[in-house]
Amino acid sequence: MSSNPTYPTNSITSISGKHVLVLTTNYGTEQDELKKPVAALREAGAQVTVAAREDAPVVTLVSDRRPGDTVRPDTTYGEVSADAYDAVVVPGGTVNADRLRTDQAAQRLLMAFATRGKIVAAICHGPWLLIESGLVAGKELTSYPSISTDLVNAGGTWRDREVVVDTSGGFTLITSRRPADVRPFSAAIIEALARTGHPAPA
């Protein structure tokens, strides 16, 4: 079941007490798809943890071409558990997403969020990790257009919309296409978190 969420126009929607994990490799993540959702979620009251593959700075890119900001991760994703979080966010960036989708630790972590009925969100090329984690079949979703065939071949229904929310299959999946969609993407995550029950244990 998919839906078109309504987007908060500001940060009045509070998700205080919610815990969100962001997964990234250490190079090639699209700058705005990492920094802007983190900022929006924190502004709305969530506690956000950025987990990278290694305990080293995350070097971002802008449009896969020029260097972006460097982000210091809070931990590595090999050291965290889905039990401690209410949602997981997977940013894009072609290089980042291509490396992330082959990482078995990232795959296991994403599957754990889904099997526990938690929110899974991915943007741009980030849905590549959804394919490798077996989370696409039967889902309606979107992505950067160039990987739409990959998602359809994995059993998903691809839509050309700025954000798609699918609540079927036991977990909520939120996807968006590109950096220009970061605002509605972030708003959809905030709305989904606001509708959940008690926060995950710390």
Side-chain angles (χ1 to χ4, degrees):
M1 176 182 178
S2 64
S3 63
N4 292 315
T6 56
Y7 308 132
T9 56
N10 52 41
S11 294
I12 293 175
T13 301
S14 175
I15 51 172
S16 177
K18 302 296 183 181
H19 295 73
V20 180
L21 184 68
V22 178
L23 298 184
T24 178
T25 57
N26 293 88
Y27 179 78
T29 308
E30 182 66 33
Q31 174 187 278
D32 286 353
E33 293 171 2
L34 174 59
K35 294 188 68 177
K36 288 188 176 181
V38 168
L41 288 161
R42 285 175 174 163
E43 184 181 359
Q47 296 184 41
V48 182
T49 299
V50 177
R53 174 183 281 182
E54 300 173 358
D55 184 16
V58 174
V59 179
T60 71
L61 295 176
V62 177
S63 300
D64 284 334
R65 293 188 297 272
R66 58 185 177 86
D69 295 339
T70 297
V71 176
R72 183 71 200 182
D74 302 297
T75 186
T76 64
Y77 48 73
E79 298 176 338
V80 297
S81 168
D83 293 331
Y85 299 92
D86 300 283
V88 61
V89 179
V90 184
T94 308
V95 176
N96 166 67
D98 193 44
R99 293 178 177 180
L100 199 59
R101 68 174 174 168
T102 61
D103 191 302
Q104 292 185 355
Q107 294 169 15
R108 287 193 296 269
L109 191 55
L110 208 68
M111 285 188 285
F113 273 88
T115 57
R116 287 161 174 76
K118 302 191 179 205
I119 297 164
V120 176
I123 186 170
C124 199
H125 288 78
W128 264 338
L129 180 58
L130 300 173
I131 295 172
E132 302 299 333
S133 304
L135 302 180
V136 173
K139 284 287 193 177
E140 186 173 343
L141 72 171
T142 193
S143 68
Y144 196 74
S146 66
I147 69 168
S148 61
T149 301
D150 297 344
L151 294 167
V152 171
N153 287 341
T157 299
W158 191 86
R159 303 297 187 194
D160 187 12
R161 296 204 296 262
E162 62 184 5
V163 63
V164 176
V165 179
D166 189 312
T167 58
S168 67
F171 72 100
T172 296
L173 177 63
I174 300 169
T175 51
S176 283
R177 301 170 300 186
R178 53 176 61 93
D181 299 332
V182 162
R183 183 175 178 274
F185 177 67
S186 302
I189 299 169
I190 291 168
E191 182 178 348
L193 283 165
R195 291 181 177 182
T196 60
H198 298 293

mmCIF file of all heavy atoms in Angstrom, residues 46 114 149 152 159 161:
data_model
loop_
_atom_site.group_PDB
_atom_site.id
_atom_site.type_symbol
_atom_site.label_atom_id
_atom_site.label_comp_id
_atom_site.label_asym_id
_atom_site.label_seq_id
_atom_site.Cartn_x
_atom_site.Cartn_y
_atom_site.Cartn_z
ATOM 1 N N ALA A 46 14.674 14.578 16.533
ATOM 2 C CA ALA A 46 15.196 13.210 16.552
ATOM 3 C C ALA A 46 16.662 13.181 16.952
ATOM 4 O O ALA A 46 17.405 14.144 16.743
ATOM 5 C CB ALA A 46 15.039 12.566 15.181
ATOM 6 N N ALA A 114 13.753 -3.873 8.507
ATOM 7 C CA ALA A 114 12.511 -4.278 7.846
ATOM 8 C C ALA A 114 11.794 -5.380 8.609
ATOM 9 O O ALA A 114 10.573 -5.325 8.808
ATOM 10 C CB ALA A 114 12.805 -4.713 6.419
ATOM 11 N N THR A 149 15.088 0.320 -13.814
ATOM 12 C CA THR A 149 15.000 -1.043 -14.352
ATOM 13 C C THR A 149 15.510 -2.066 -13.344
ATOM 14 O O THR A 149 14.950 -3.164 -13.211
ATOM 15 C CB THR A 149 15.784 -1.156 -15.672
ATOM 16 O OG1 THR A 149 15.240 -0.227 -16.618
ATOM 17 C CG2 THR A 149 15.694 -2.564 -16.244
ATOM 18 N N VAL A 152 12.661 -2.606 -10.904
ATOM 19 C CA VAL A 152 11.575 -3.376 -11.517
ATOM 20 C C VAL A 152 11.980 -4.844 -11.653
ATOM 21 O O VAL A 152 11.190 -5.754 -11.369
ATOM 22 C CB VAL A 152 11.200 -2.779 -12.889
ATOM 23 C CG1 VAL A 152 10.237 -3.698 -13.634
ATOM 24 C CG2 VAL A 152 10.583 -1.398 -12.719
ATOM 25 N N ARG A 159 7.879 4.358 -9.548
ATOM 26 C CA ARG A 159 7.077 5.544 -9.829
ATOM 27 C C ARG A 159 7.991 6.757 -9.973
ATOM 28 O O ARG A 159 8.949 6.910 -9.213
ATOM 29 C CB ARG A 159 6.082 5.816 -8.691
ATOM 30 C CG ARG A 159 5.140 4.668 -8.380
ATOM 31 C CD ARG A 159 4.239 4.338 -9.526
ATOM 32 N NE ARG A 159 3.229 3.339 -9.159
ATOM 33 C CZ ARG A 159 2.483 2.678 -10.026
ATOM 34 N NH1 ARG A 159 2.635 2.887 -11.325
ATOM 35 N NH2 ARG A 159 1.597 1.784 -9.620
ATOM 36 N N ARG A 161 8.009 9.898 -8.956
ATOM 37 C CA ARG A 161 7.456 10.891 -8.036
ATOM 38 C C ARG A 161 8.552 11.325 -7.067
ATOM 39 O O ARG A 161 9.486 10.567 -6.788
ATOM 40 C CB ARG A 161 6.275 10.325 -7.250
ATOM 41 C CG ARG A 161 5.079 9.952 -8.116
ATOM 42 C CD ARG A 161 3.788 9.971 -7.322
ATOM 43 N NE ARG A 161 3.759 8.989 -6.260
ATOM 44 C CZ ARG A 161 3.179 7.794 -6.350
ATOM 45 N NH1 ARG A 161 2.592 7.422 -7.489
ATOM 46 N NH2 ARG A 161 3.174 6.963 -5.323
#
